[in-house]
Amino acid sequence: MQPKAARNIPIEALRLVAVAGIAVFHTFQWTFQAVCVGAVEYAPLAIFPYSGALGFINLLGCWANEVFFMISGYFLIASAARAWDGGATWKSQMQRTAQRLGKVIMPTAFYCLVALAWSTVVSPIPDVTLNTHYWYTLGLEFIWVYAATVFMATWFGLAKSRLPQKTYKTTVIAVGILAFVVNGYLAAMSATSAGEFSWLQKFMSAATYVIAFLIGGLLRDVTDAMDSDRAGALGTRSLAAVLVLATILEGALSFTGNLTAMAVLSYKSTSLISFALAAASLLFAATRRSASGNPRTAGVIVTLSTATLGFYVMQSLTSSLWRPVFNTLLANILISQNSPAAICIVTGTVISIVFALALLIIDAARSLIARKPKRQ
């Protein structure tokens, strides 16, 4: 058995930043929607610069999901291509794919069973019952799209291995451009037809995640082809440029009060700025030095980053429990505090990160317990 490859610590740290982004996004998701429709109690957040901060937070959901897919594409497509170049058989490739899918499906099934048992025996979780199916189907849409994409990694690697490099790269970029053109068209049509095309938008959102997976593979080619100093400079400049652009964009929309455009630009299938920010973030992380000055810190980062999937499943399954609590807390702050908008944003950010950390620790403990019998 070959030893496991060493983890890239900066990329594992990026996973954790993405987890924080998802947590903060979900905490403020309803708040942002309420601000956009002009809810009176959320008026303090509708003015500059607070609406801009909310708009930036609303980018984090799309950004984080695309980061997760890009990171997987960065590693899995290159791995599959190397295996094909090394003479791998379909049987061996399918075995590796099955192992990867097991790491996605088994923890998901475990948490679904735990949630169902808790809802049935201990205390009801709204909509989590044997008679309903949304909670483990579309409620976990991200997980199932991710599993399907992981399954396709073998075929993407085969295409990368067999096609000329320029042809493969051109095809991926062309498909990506086409996907965003279609996304923009569907968004425009849905806006003028009372949401008639919303189901197609959701489908294209899933397709956009697959594009992110493929772009992650192309970013691997970029970092492999460049020397470390040049790649590091490119990563830093790219991330700084996109961050500045996103900040200016959200600030301008906040200053002009254009909350509708802010919402449209952050939708997962049409948010080009989130996609660019995800690509720049991965490029930045991938071009940092992997070695950590503190092995213990590196170990903590890796342990928590491997719990990313568990975090996402637990947060989704329990959203009907924690979301009303968070929403009520933020609404009460807006009513009762002297500087409600700033305190609301800071409080929501802090409780989101604490909550995410708690879920990561829970899944890390589950994973440790599950690995003990194998070690023995």
Side-chain angles (χ1 to χ4, degrees):
M1 181 182 295
Q2 295 180 344
K4 290 185 178 180
R7 293 275 187 169
N8 185 309
I9 302 304
I11 291 182
E12 298 306 315
L14 178 61
R15 292 185 200 268
L16 295 182
V17 176
V19 165
I22 277 285
V24 175
F25 162 74
H26 280 148
T27 294
F28 285 100
Q29 188 175 15
W30 165 252
T31 302
F32 181 74
Q33 292 171 1
V35 169
C36 287
V37 299
V40 176
E41 60 270 36
Y42 291 92
L45 290 172
I47 60 176
F48 177 84
Y50 304 113
S51 60
L54 278 184
F56 194 89
I57 287 171
N58 208 50
L59 293 176
L60 294 179
C62 181
W63 167 80
N65 286 345
E66 285 166 348
V67 162
F68 293 142
F69 275 86
M70 285 185 186
I71 290 175
S72 294
Y74 184 87
F75 291 112
L76 295 185
I77 294 177
S79 176
R82 283 196 305 269
W84 286 119
D85 289 337
T89 63
W90 275 102
K91 180 179 179 180
S92 65
Q93 290 283 55
M94 289 298 99
Q95 287 174 339
R96 296 175 68 186
T97 299
Q99 291 174 350
R100 290 170 181 150
L101 287 176
K103 294 178 180 179
V104 176
I105 295 172
M106 296 306 292
T108 303
F110 171 78
Y111 285 119
C112 285
L113 290 174
V114 170
L116 180 61
W118 183 279
S119 183
T120 303
V121 178
V122 181
S123 178
I125 300 175
D127 301 324
V128 178
T129 68
L130 280 173
N131 299 323
T132 57
H133 58 80
Y134 180 87
W135 59 279
Y136 63 85
T137 54
L138 289 179
L140 295 176
E141 174 191 8
F142 174 85
I143 299 297
W144 304 128
V145 173
Y146 179 72
T149 308
V150 168
F151 179 76
M152 290 187 288
T154 296
W155 281 265
F156 294 147
L158 180 63
K160 182 177 177 59
S161 173
R162 299 294 185 263
L163 292 175
Q165 184 178 8
K166 186 176 181 179
T167 301
Y168 175 80
K169 184 184 300 184
T170 302
T171 301
V172 169
I173 293 174
V175 171
I177 293 173
L178 177 62
F180 274 103
V181 170
V182 172
N183 286 340
Y185 173 77
L186 291 176
M189 293 298 292
S190 185
T192 59
S193 59
E196 181 181 347
F197 293 87
S198 59
W199 68 273
L200 273 175
Q201 284 184 282
K202 287 190 72 69
F203 176 82
M204 285 305 297
S205 294
T208 305
Y209 291 151
V210 178
I211 299 300
F213 188 84
L214 290 167
I215 293 298
L218 292 188
L219 288 175
R220 178 62 176 267
D221 294 339
V222 172
T223 58
D224 286 350
M226 299 175 69
D227 65 80
S228 58
D229 290 339
R230 186 181 172 196
L234 177 62
T236 301
R237 291 169 184 169
S238 298
L239 181 58
V242 180
L243 276 174
V244 169
L245 180 61
T247 302
I248 292 174
L249 177 63
E250 296 299 326
L253 292 175
S254 173
F255 186 76
T256 58
N258 198 339
L259 302 181
T260 301
M262 196 179 286
V264 171
L265 288 173
S266 62
Y267 187 75
K268 53 191 173 183
S269 66
T270 52
S271 185
L272 269 172
I273 189 67
S274 292
F275 195 92
L277 186 58
S281 299
L282 176 55
L283 184 60
F284 175 80
T287 53
R288 300 307 97 188
R289 292 184 178 180
S290 296
S292 172
N294 190 330
R296 183 172 297 178
T297 300
V300 170
I301 290 173
V302 171
T303 299
L304 293 179
S305 70
T306 55
T308 296
L309 184 138
F311 151 80
Y312 196 98
V313 175
M314 283 188 284
Q315 190 197 46
S316 297
L317 292 176
T318 61
S319 63
S320 58
L321 299 179
W322 60 263
R323 193 185 296 274
V325 176
F326 285 14
N327 288 344
T328 301
L329 173 62
L330 298 183
N332 288 339
I333 290 174
L334 290 175
I335 295 171
S336 62
Q337 299 295 328
N338 294 327
S339 302
I343 294 175
C344 176
I345 291 174
V346 171
T347 302
T349 301
V350 171
I351 62 175
S352 301
I353 293 174
V354 171
F355 181 51
L357 182 59
L359 296 186
L360 288 172
I361 292 173
I362 289 172
D363 189 67
R366 175 207 62 81
S367 180
L368 180 63
I369 294 171
R371 289 198 303 267
K372 272 191 175 181
K374 295 180 181 179
R375 291 176 178 175
Q376 294 173 353

